[in-house]
Amino acid sequence: MKTIEVKTNIMCGACIAKVTPSLNEAIGEDSWSVDTQNPKKILSVTSDKLSEEEVIKAVEEAGYKAEKLS
């Protein structure tokens, strides 16, 4: 398994609740988490089959922004 990390604008528990159905469907339940305490709001995804671009697309389809970590 590889871990993909991207910067997001998912700020709080309510935001996480909003994206959960979309990300569970696109990424898989229990395969992702968001560190809302980190200033970059890091989304960590554990997957063997998803690319960083696919993770970013899933976040954007859920109505939030995501970008590669710099």
Side-chain angles (χ1 to χ4, degrees):
M1 290 284 213
K2 65 180 178 178
T3 300
I4 299 168
E5 293 186 331
V6 296
K7 179 180 174 183
T8 72
N9 66 340
I10 299 171
M11 302 294 217
C12 63
C15 298
I16 292 171
K18 185 176 177 185
V19 301
T20 293
S22 298
L23 294 186
N24 280 352
E25 184 177 329
I27 297 171
E29 197 170 340
D30 299 324
S31 296
W32 63 274
S33 65
V34 179
D35 181 358
T36 57
Q37 301 302 309
N38 184 307
K40 294 184 179 181
K41 312 302 181 199
I42 304 297
L43 167 67
S44 299
V45 174
T46 305
S47 174
D48 277 335
K49 54 188 176 180
L50 292 174
S51 69
E52 188 173 53
E53 290 76 20
E54 290 170 313
V55 171
I56 290 171
K57 183 179 176 189
V59 173
E60 290 173 347
E61 287 177 354
Y64 287 84
K65 294 179 183 175
E67 60 187 57
K68 295 180 179 186
L69 283 174
S70 49

